[in-house]
Amino acid sequence: MSAATVERADWRDVITREELAPLLETNDWRSGLSIALDWGIVAASLALVYVWPNLWTVIVALVLIGARQLGFAVMMHETSHRSLLRNRRLNDWVGNWLCAYPIWSDPDPYRPYHLQHHARTGSDEDPDLGLVLPFPITRSSFRRKAWRDLSGQ
């Protein structure tokens, strides 16, 4: 099935504002816990290799740290919307120092670009249109992509 044959629904046709409201609420405690958990997993992974240095602990640590790097990127995305923490200055500081900079990213140039994506999602002016047009994909294509990513190709 090609992307051209897929009809894209407007989100307003799928969910009401009342159903959406709870999903948009900012919870500072939950956000703080997520950040602390991610950094805790990174620290524990490093400690694991320090205490038991061998191939298997290094592999486990690499997988765990890599997964948490993705978590940092997701939280940086939230800070670009200023939706991770209620306090705007704290949101930006945490987004920079605890989420973005450790993964060699910077929310300042990302934010305006990304907000243009949300303002024009799915339209010809969407700057991320090239990332979504190839989808949906076939199961065999998904298997190839997953294997390529997991094998480091």
Side-chain angles (χ1 to χ4, degrees):
M1 174 185 300
S2 75
T5 62
V6 175
E7 184 178 326
R8 301 196 190 281
D10 187 281
W11 67 269
R12 292 170 205 89
D13 297 333
V14 179
I15 189 170
T16 67
R17 289 238 178 240
E18 294 77 26
E19 293 169 322
L20 185 63
L23 300 174
L24 298 176
E25 290 178 10
T26 302
N27 185 320
D28 289 351
W29 283 106
R30 179 172 276 161
S31 296
L33 183 61
S34 292
I35 293 165
L37 181 62
D38 279 2
W39 277 108
I41 291 171
V42 168
S45 299
L46 294 172
L48 175 70
V49 173
Y50 180 78
V51 173
W52 293 293
N54 64 66
L55 177 64
W56 296 111
T57 58
V58 169
I59 290 171
V60 167
L62 287 173
V63 169
L64 290 173
I65 291 171
R68 292 312 78 221
Q69 286 177 314
L70 176 60
F72 293 142
V74 169
M75 287 186 284
M76 182 205 70
H77 169 263
E78 292 307 311
T79 63
S80 74
H81 288 282
R82 295 204 165 98
S83 61
L84 188 68
L85 300 167
R86 289 186 186 120
N87 180 293
R88 185 175 177 153
R89 287 184 64 184
L90 183 60
N91 180 83
D92 289 352
W93 188 90
V94 166
N96 288 339
W97 290 99
L98 298 180
C99 301
Y101 296 162
I103 59 167
W104 299 99
S105 192
D106 187 348
D108 291 333
Y110 172 76
R111 182 177 287 122
Y113 167 85
H114 183 66
L115 295 179
Q116 285 300 312
H117 157 69
H118 280 290
R120 296 176 171 84
T121 302
S123 74
D124 291 336
E125 294 87 32
D126 182 351
D128 285 341
L129 193 59
L131 298 175
V132 297
L133 279 181
F135 294 93
I137 59 174
T138 64
R139 287 181 185 200
S140 61
S141 177
F142 176 76
R143 281 192 294 275
R144 285 191 308 275
K145 289 176 191 314
W147 172 247
R148 184 181 61 225
D149 290 348
L150 291 171
S151 66
Q153 297 179 34

